[in-house]
Amino acid sequence: MFGTTTIGIDLGTANILVYSKEKGIILNEPSVVALNTNDGTVLAIGHEAKEMIGKTPTSISAVRPMKDGVIADFDLTSGLLREIMRRISTSGVRKPNVVVCTPTGATSVERRAISDAVRSTGARSVALIEEPVAAAIGADLPVAEPVANVIVDIGGGTSEIAIISYGGVVSSTSVRTGGDHMDEEIIQYIRKNYNLLIGQATAERIKMELGFAPIEHVAQTADIRGRDLLTGLPKTIQVSSTEIQSALEETLQRILEAIRNTLEMCPPELSGDIVDRGIILSGGGSLLQGFRDWLVQEIDVPVHMAPSPLESVAIGTGRSLAFVDKLAKI
């Protein structure tokens, strides 16, 4: 019974999610590994390791093995996956068939790296599925039908935009811009304007609290703590949501440009469907305040949120095997 379990893995830049058909999402951890730099052993993964980022002694290094949606450090990713598989196996899943999603822009070498990393953890078989297709399946879109399903999936490292019809990608754009790049823009903005150095975790918190798409909103403020670059001492400053909004604008414009490019490549027969059915948003980056309203203003078609934006890709990856046979016939 255990041998035939199928699980879906969303191997994301920011988070790793594992989905099983029987139990739903069985694991959701940040894609972070804490290493002992002396002997290379893995000390912690996920939430525990994320807490350590920027706070460790020299003998411990907390790093993200995934960058821009693909594997940046093969050994670390394998270690992270092995630990995740060990945790899953304690809940009764052994030697599963695994489906993993990959960004549309991933090269064959990057795809093989993902496949090998998962196979090294003892999976019975490994299948790869493109991320936007997985997100569309997870968002309950009728991907196997001859209608245009437009999915905009904004992850930590990449934003994937795709038009899917008959189970295949009709046109797509993948840009290596996502939630992590928004954090980076905030870090640079605070550094340039206030001479204050802040960490990734602080930037992420500011993005969630004060981040807005380029729409009108009631300004909010928050205190930020960091290190003053002039004196080297800790310092607290106050920033407003309008400042953070301007810091994020360039990144958001790049995503908008990618959406426009994808829609421009759409066959005219499917364009009519898009006007009726609109666009579906998924991924953590799409939860930015005002993002949906801003897109409606800019591209003038209906924009809807996926039922569970953060989990769409993992759910779709797990469910996708049911579609594979159907799509093979098509």
Side-chain angles (χ1 to χ4, degrees):
M1 163 194 162
F2 292 134
T4 55
T5 310
T6 297
I7 61 167
I9 299 181
D10 173 11
L11 201 55
T13 311
N15 295 288
I16 288 190
L17 286 88
V18 180
Y19 173 88
S20 94
K21 205 162 65 176
E22 295 78 24
K23 299 178 182 173
I25 299 283
I26 51 177
L27 186 134
N28 182 353
E29 295 271 0
S31 316
V32 185
V33 183
L35 274 188
N36 181 331
T37 51
N38 298 328
D39 57 8
T41 52
V42 174
L43 300 174
I45 67 158
H47 292 289
E48 203 183 327
K50 191 178 181 184
E51 288 294 309
M52 299 181 188
I53 290 180
K55 301 175 184 175
T56 56
T58 49
S59 60
I60 298 172
S61 168
V63 285
R64 287 177 153 184
M66 304 289 294
K67 188 161 175 58
D68 297 338
V70 291
I71 292 175
D73 187 314
F74 185 82
D75 296 334
L76 273 186
T77 308
S78 300
L80 177 63
L81 283 166
R82 261 194 297 280
E83 179 60 27
I84 281 167
M85 289 302 213
R86 190 186 63 72
R87 289 190 189 181
I88 295 168
S89 65
T90 57
S91 64
V93 179
R94 289 188 181 81
K95 280 220 168 281
N97 297 319
V98 180
V99 186
V100 194
C101 64
T102 61
T104 4
T107 63
S108 55
V109 173
E110 288 166 340
R111 286 169 199 267
R112 191 173 300 123
I114 292 172
S115 181
D116 290 349
V118 175
R119 203 167 268 119
S120 73
T121 62
R124 179 176 293 251
S125 70
V126 181
L128 300 180
I129 181 172
E130 290 187 324
E131 206 168 294
V133 177
I137 295 171
D140 298 324
L141 295 179
V143 292
E145 291 173 21
V147 290
N149 300 285
V150 186
I151 191 93
V152 175
D153 178 44
I154 302 169
T158 56
S159 295
E160 309 269 331
I161 302 98
I163 300 170
I164 298 159
S165 175
Y166 257 145
V169 175
V170 177
S171 80
S172 72
T173 311
S174 175
V175 283
R176 296 200 169 180
T177 298
D180 287 356
H181 300 82
M182 295 183 202
D183 298 344
E184 196 52 49
E185 293 290 346
I186 292 169
I187 292 171
Q188 296 305 332
Y189 179 86
I190 301 292
R191 182 180 188 146
K192 197 166 115 190
N193 292 277
Y194 292 97
N195 278 321
L196 191 77
L197 194 60
I198 59 168
Q200 196 95 32
T202 306
E204 191 177 7
R205 181 178 61 79
I206 298 165
K207 177 181 70 183
M208 288 173 174
E209 286 178 21
L210 299 182
F212 277 87
I215 59 161
E216 290 203 359
H217 67 281
V218 179
Q220 301 166 14
T221 57
D223 288 340
I224 299 174
R225 295 184 181 89
R227 190 178 86 228
D228 190 319
L229 287 166
L230 299 176
T231 63
L233 299 173
K235 182 180 171 184
T236 303
I237 60 162
Q238 192 176 63
V239 293
S240 72
S241 55
T242 46
E243 291 180 89
I244 302 304
Q245 185 181 39
S246 68
L248 297 179
E249 191 161 353
E250 201 180 313
T251 302
L252 293 173
Q253 288 295 346
R254 274 204 296 272
I255 294 170
L256 177 65
E257 194 59 37
I259 296 172
R260 284 196 171 130
N261 288 346
T262 311
L263 295 177
E264 279 169 16
M265 293 188 285
C266 177
E269 290 296 330
L270 290 175
S271 293
D273 289 343
I274 298 171
V275 175
D276 296 337
R277 301 165 59 83
I279 288 173
I280 304 292
L281 298 179
S282 80
S286 65
L287 298 172
L288 185 75
Q289 299 173 84
F291 185 69
R292 193 181 75 86
D293 299 337
W294 175 63
L295 275 189
V296 172
Q297 269 173 229
E298 293 290 330
I299 52 181
D300 217 18
V301 296
V303 179
H304 313 284
M305 284 304 257
S308 45
L310 290 166
E311 298 167 356
S312 295
V313 175
I315 294 169
T317 308
R319 286 185 192 162
S320 64
L321 276 197
F323 284 83
V324 169
D325 304 335
K326 201 190 288 186
L327 303 180
K329 291 184 187 117
I330 294 169

